[in-house]
Amino acid sequence: MRCVTVAAMQQSLFPDGHIPSEQNKQSGGGNSISRQDLNDAQYEAVTSTEGPLLVIAGAGSGKTRTLVYRVAHLIDMGVAPENILLLTFTRKAAQEMLWRAGLLVDSSCQQVTGGTFHAIANMLLRRYGHHLGYSPNFTILDRSDAEGIINLLKSSLSLSGAGKRFPSKRVIINMISKSVNKSVPIDDLLYDEFSHLEEFADDIFTLKDHYKHFKFEHGLMDYDDLLVNWRRVLQESTDVRREVSERFAYIMVDEYQDTNPIQAEIVRLLAYNHNNVMVVGDDSQSIYSFRGADFRNIMDFPDIFPDTKIIKLEENYRSTQPILSLTNDIIARAGEKFTKALFTRVEGGVKPIVYGGRDASEESRYIVSKIQKLQEEGSALREIAVLFRSGFHSYKLEIDLTANQIPFEKRGGLKLTESAHTKDVLSYFRVHVNPDDNLSWNRILLLIDKIGPKTAQKILGIIRSADDPFDALRDYPAAPGWKQGLNQLSELFASLKDPGISLLEQFEILLKYYEPIFERIYYDDYPKRRKDLDQLKTIFEGYSDLQSFVADTALDPPEIETVEFDESDRLILSTVHSAKGLEWDTVFVINLADGRFPLAHILPGDEMEEERRLLYVAATRARHNLYLTYPLEVMSADRRFTRTKLSPFLADVTPGLYDSTGTSGYSFSTGIPDSPIAYKQRPVIPVKKEKSINTSLMQKGTNVRHPFFGEGQVERVVSDKTVDVMFDKHGLKTLHLDYARLEII
């Protein structure tokens, strides 16, 4: 039986580090707020109960504690628990807050209505949904149910079937859901994020309409409908709006910076009879716009609710002051914000370290060596995290961690060999190195059009019994329907076996062969998947022999299974988005090169501002040690190796807030060699050019035609691949020329 200490239980209930005073805990209610339990700003937020209140809660400043004490204080004042509404983003968060509040007063806290927006919507629509034509026993669709309906409708509308290509049910549901949550018309979303699917625009619009009608006719709601219909019933029925507002006389919303436009409207409507709304959040941690979260919600709250009182929680209970000084400086340069400066009363701490490695390999080796040193000094792996902007940024590090037998857990984004397209590419190389690898043979045969499992097994049977599998492949009596595909595969291996080509040339040959297969099989989202292949090439370039590359990318070699370690003690690899709300003793933020963080395609404006906030979130996860690393050489979008420099978010930081180290011979602040001979340019292999219009043929005023948006005029040439076009009927659009299919008139 596992024993739990009193200290451990306190830490679980009050993770922000503030344990209620003994006097408070012994009071048993009636005196739930002990002044010594809260700092001045927290106390003011807890006791300011009337009117609109915006609490800007900096990272690690005890926002959860503030909400817990606020609930307890309201009940202590005599407010009926059923008149309090607590909206959170997870059920667990609401349950924990109300449980903790109950420890401060009594069990009546369990009568407070608390939960997610969707859960409260479900509860209220059971009672008031009849105003919209829904019975109380409507059914909620989960994701698989929704996708099943889309499949059914695709068939009934003759949008699917043998020989027909159409976006998958997953992509269709993603598009519909994102359109709702971002309050963006689906035609705009289609072109902005799914431009390669524009030929299906009319059918997608039709499918969306049929999906909406099908749900209503059968008494169904998906998760997005819960919010949409909750807002509708509050908007359309004055009686419902008044009744619900009177019931919930005190409203609290956690993580308000993560709300979408619909949720913000719901909050405004809930406060119809009063303005007793307290929202808690941090504009500097608004990083989920891709899910529909709207930064404007928290910034505009004082305008939506006149006479809003703003309280800032700036005392940090997580990080050392040197870390806070750096993060304060990063976010101080944001274009729009509620100004705040985090501080801590804890003394000591070391400056963050910024490291520039020659390339991704050197950066990875540095991180591994630091982790090993931390282990030697007694740090647990579970108290160390490596954070990154995108899932594929950790691929090289994953290989090096495995080679050094450092166990890790990855959160957010797939491991190197978990994505299907990466497995495809590795399968060709594994067969090239080991022709007896039947599993890889089977995978690459099934990638050939018109070859199914039975045919693949027949071919594999011949290959397996032959002295030379590649000769057997070449001579196999293929059927006319897939003969060309099999011949092309045979020619690929013949090219790869040419002793006169380099490893990098082998990769280019394979990529040229795989490209049409890749685009056919992963038609829905191949533009996003392509980044993984670019990163794989970067890793490949660092090897001198193919056998080593194939062995290292296995990722789970048998010998690691014999290493003895506590299975719970694993290094954490995580995207920044998945790390929000968490903290570790030591944090590495990697790939902080311009073009990687922020990403290269990010345009100035709101997107760039969110990238800055993303770095702020990453850096504020660290308690004691913060390492910020970047490579001085990366692979560009056209798959060429180029020099880069430190992320502009760090390059602008006030000198002296961090210590810098890295490859000698480089100017650290810019990433440019101090002298021409300090840098040796990697060989560049010619790559296949994309079929797109050259922007040199365009200038402001050029008339163009688009197959979906119609005729328009170029407003601005953004880059060598991107232009802004003002269309007559659809307004201004930013177009990527690899996918836009523009025609100059």
Side-chain angles (χ1 to χ4, degrees):
M1 179 177 177
R2 185 185 176 198
C3 296
V4 181
T5 65
V6 172
M9 183 177 295
Q10 289 176 335
Q11 179 62 27
S12 173
L13 296 177
F14 298 91
D16 49 26
H18 283 47
I19 311 301
S21 66
E22 204 61 38
Q23 174 189 358
N24 187 359
K25 288 186 287 184
Q26 293 173 358
S27 67
N31 183 29
S32 63
I33 302 301
S34 174
R35 188 66 184 81
Q36 68 190 72
D37 290 340
L38 303 166
N39 64 39
D40 291 344
Q42 290 173 335
Y43 185 82
E44 184 181 8
V46 166
T47 56
S48 299
T49 57
E50 305 304 310
L53 175 62
L54 171 59
V55 178
I56 301 298
S61 63
K63 73 172 180 63
T64 300
R65 182 182 189 81
T66 302
L67 283 165
V68 167
Y69 273 74
R70 165 85 168 209
V71 171
H73 179 63
L74 286 171
I75 292 177
D76 210 29
M77 286 173 52
V79 175
E82 57 268 23
N83 292 143
I84 301 172
L85 174 63
L86 174 62
L87 290 167
T88 62
F89 274 81
T90 66
R91 181 176 60 178
K92 180 181 178 182
Q95 290 174 335
E96 180 182 322
M97 287 183 199
L98 296 180
W99 182 27
R100 288 171 59 176
L103 296 177
L104 296 173
V105 279
D106 54 44
S107 60
S108 65
C109 287
Q110 298 306 312
Q111 298 171 35
V112 171
T113 301
T116 65
F117 277 88
H118 293 84
I120 305 304
N122 174 52
M123 178 189 75
L124 293 177
L125 286 171
R126 299 289 176 187
R127 179 169 181 175
Y128 301 110
H130 65 274
H131 289 274
L132 304 178
Y134 283 93
S135 67
N137 63 340
F138 65 83
T139 300
I140 299 175
L141 299 170
D142 62 19
R143 182 59 181 253
S144 61
D145 292 332
E147 290 181 355
I149 292 173
I150 289 294
N151 254 0
L152 178 67
L153 294 173
K154 281 168 63 177
S155 297
S156 66
L157 295 170
S158 300
L159 299 178
S160 62
K164 290 190 176 182
R165 186 172 67 172
F166 194 78
S168 68
K169 58 185 180 183
R170 174 184 61 86
V171 169
I172 296 297
I173 286 294
N174 282 344
M175 292 174 63
I176 294 173
S177 179
K178 186 169 282 192
S179 172
V180 171
N181 284 288
K182 298 186 76 169
S183 296
V184 173
I186 197 166
D187 54 341
D188 286 348
L189 183 72
L190 173 66
Y191 192 78
D192 289 342
E193 300 188 28
F194 302 89
S195 58
H196 60 295
L197 302 178
E198 65 186 45
E199 63 183 285
F200 304 109
D202 291 340
D203 289 335
I204 290 173
F205 302 155
T206 299
L207 189 55
K208 172 181 175 288
D209 290 340
H210 278 74
Y211 177 59
K212 179 180 178 180
H213 294 312
F214 183 96
K215 288 183 294 181
F216 182 75
E217 290 170 2
H218 292 82
L220 307 171
M221 292 191 204
D222 61 25
Y223 293 136
D224 297 325
D225 292 327
L226 291 172
L227 297 184
V228 171
N229 289 329
W230 184 11
R231 178 182 61 179
R232 275 189 61 202
V233 77
L234 291 174
Q235 286 175 331
E236 297 175 10
S237 174
T238 303
D239 291 341
V240 172
R241 187 163 67 247
R242 181 182 296 109
E243 184 177 336
V244 173
S245 183
E246 288 175 354
R247 174 182 175 181
F248 298 126
Y250 293 89
I251 301 167
M252 287 172 282
V253 187
D254 189 19
E255 302 285 13
Y256 192 70
Q257 79 281 346
D258 293 337
T259 55
N260 63 30
I262 299 176
Q263 291 164 327
E265 289 182 59
I266 288 172
V267 172
R268 172 66 272 186
L269 291 165
L270 286 172
Y272 173 69
N273 282 351
H274 60 81
N275 281 334
N276 297 330
V277 178
M278 172 190 182
V279 299
V280 182
D282 185 2
D283 55 296
S284 299
Q285 298 188 68
S286 179
I287 60 173
Y288 293 116
S289 64
F290 67 96
R291 293 181 185 170
D294 193 337
F295 175 72
R296 294 253 49 93
N297 287 352
I298 193 167
M299 299 307 298
D300 294 344
F301 186 85
D303 298 325
I304 296 171
F305 289 87
D307 302 319
T308 291
K309 183 176 185 178
I310 301 176
I311 298 174
K312 299 174 184 177
L313 306 185
E314 298 176 291
E315 183 170 357
N316 179 280
Y317 298 97
R318 174 187 300 157
S319 307
T320 61
Q321 191 59 52
I323 292 174
L324 296 178
S325 296
L326 176 68
T327 56
N328 285 338
D329 202 78
I330 290 171
I331 206 63
R333 300 168 195 279
E336 187 176 9
K337 61 188 178 297
F338 288 106
T339 302
K340 60 184 177 298
L342 298 184
F343 69 93
T344 181
R345 300 179 193 273
V346 179
E347 297 181 356
V350 296
K351 288 182 181 180
I353 300 293
V354 177
Y355 172 84
R358 182 176 295 276
D359 53 22
S361 295
E362 190 167 276
E363 179 189 22
S364 178
R365 288 194 295 270
Y366 172 80
I367 294 167
V368 169
S369 69
K370 286 297 180 183
I371 291 170
Q372 290 173 326
K373 184 176 180 182
L374 287 165
Q375 282 185 283
E376 292 170 2
E377 294 171 351
S379 294
L381 282 175
R382 62 179 173 272
E383 290 299 339
I384 306 172
V386 180
L387 308 182
F388 32 84
R389 174 62 182 84
S390 299
F392 65 88
H393 286 175
S394 68
Y395 284 174
K396 175 56 182 164
L397 180 61
E398 291 174 36
I399 292 175
D400 288 348
L401 289 171
T402 299
N404 286 275
Q405 300 186 358
I406 299 176
F408 64 88
E409 172 189 342
K410 188 171 183 180
R411 303 172 180 174
L414 297 173
K415 290 183 179 181
L416 175 60
T417 55
E418 286 179 342
S419 57
H421 48 290
T422 303
K423 288 181 178 180
D424 293 344
V425 172
L426 293 176
S427 291
Y428 293 103
F429 284 129
R430 287 171 179 166
V431 165
H432 181 35
V433 170
N434 176 22
D436 294 328
D437 185 345
N438 296 326
L439 190 62
S440 293
W441 266 117
N442 187 65
R443 185 180 190 91
I444 62 180
L445 288 170
L446 289 174
L447 292 174
I448 297 174
D449 194 22
K450 294 184 172 57
I451 289 185
K454 290 184 178 179
T455 302
Q457 285 302 308
K458 289 179 181 178
I459 299 171
L460 190 55
I462 298 299
I463 290 175
R464 198 162 37 210
S465 60
D467 293 334
D468 187 326
F470 299 110
D471 286 345
L473 177 70
R474 182 193 62 208
D475 299 333
Y476 190 87
W482 42 272
K483 181 177 180 61
Q484 182 180 359
L486 204 66
N487 288 342
Q488 289 173 341
L489 178 62
S490 179
E491 291 169 4
L492 168 68
F493 284 120
S495 298
L496 294 178
K497 291 171 68 176
D498 183 346
I501 62 173
S502 68
L503 279 179
L504 202 54
E505 287 172 322
Q506 286 188 45
F507 194 97
E508 293 294 347
I509 289 170
L510 174 54
L511 205 60
K512 183 177 180 180
Y513 165 84
Y514 180 65
E515 188 97 9
I517 296 174
F518 171 64
E519 294 185 5
R520 169 174 56 83
I521 293 178
Y522 306 107
Y523 179 70
D524 286 335
D525 59 356
Y526 71 83
K528 292 182 179 180
R529 292 174 181 257
R530 195 183 301 275
K531 294 177 183 178
D532 290 346
L533 301 185
D534 292 341
Q535 186 68 11
L536 190 63
K537 181 190 171 184
T538 302
I539 296 171
F540 188 84
E541 193 274 342
Y543 283 83
S544 58
D545 67 282
L546 187 58
Q547 180 66 63
S548 297
F549 171 76
V550 169
D552 284 352
T553 52
L555 283 183
D556 292 308
E559 60 266 24
I560 285 187
E561 295 177 2
T562 64
V563 179
E564 294 184 5
F565 56 83
D566 179 1
E567 289 191 354
S568 65
D569 190 28
R570 293 175 178 268
L571 174 74
I572 301 300
L573 305 186
S574 176
T575 60
V576 181
H577 288 102
S578 296
K580 185 175 176 292
L582 304 176
E583 57 187 75
W584 295 271
D585 286 343
T586 300
V587 170
F588 295 83
V589 187
I590 68 173
N591 234 322
L592 284 167
D594 192 8
R596 295 298 182 92
F597 205 143
L599 296 173
H601 68 268
I602 297 297
L603 298 175
D606 293 344
E607 288 185 350
M608 188 65 74
E609 288 295 287
E610 182 161 327
E611 292 287 298
R612 178 182 293 278
R613 297 194 295 269
L614 200 59
L615 177 57
Y616 174 81
V617 168
T620 53
R621 301 307 95 198
R623 298 190 193 107
H624 306 301
N625 303 300
L626 176 62
Y627 294 89
L628 305 161
T629 71
Y630 80 110
L632 290 156
E633 179 186 80
V634 299
M635 187 168 67
S636 61
D638 61 356
R639 297 197 289 272
R640 294 174 180 268
F641 290 97
T642 59
R643 286 170 286 175
T644 186
K645 53 186 177 181
L646 186 61
S647 167
F649 302 141
L650 281 177
D652 291 342
V653 165
T654 302
L657 292 180
Y658 58 77
D659 290 330
S660 60
T661 182
T663 300
S664 60
Y666 283 77
S667 167
F668 181 79
S669 62
T670 63
I672 303 299
D674 291 333
S675 63
I677 61 172
Y679 181 84
K680 182 180 180 182
Q681 179 68 46
R682 296 182 188 270
V684 176
I685 305 298
V687 296
K688 182 180 74 173
K689 298 296 183 183
E690 300 287 349
K691 294 181 179 179
S692 61
I693 296 177
N694 191 323
T695 49
S696 64
L697 301 176
M698 292 188 179
Q699 56 185 345
K700 181 177 174 61
T702 301
N703 293 316
V704 294
R705 182 183 293 110
H706 184 272
F708 177 65
F709 294 123
E711 294 186 0
Q713 193 173 78
V714 174
E715 286 281 306
R716 182 169 70 107
V717 177
V718 179
S719 69
D720 62 346
K721 291 285 187 181
T722 311
V723 292
D724 286 343
V725 179
M726 178 63 73
F727 289 98
D728 299 340
K729 296 182 179 179
H730 293 270
L732 188 66
K733 300 294 179 184
T734 300
L735 308 179
H736 193 290
L737 297 180
D738 282 350
Y739 311 116
R741 293 190 289 173
L742 274 181
E743 174 189 355
I744 296 178
I745 302 176

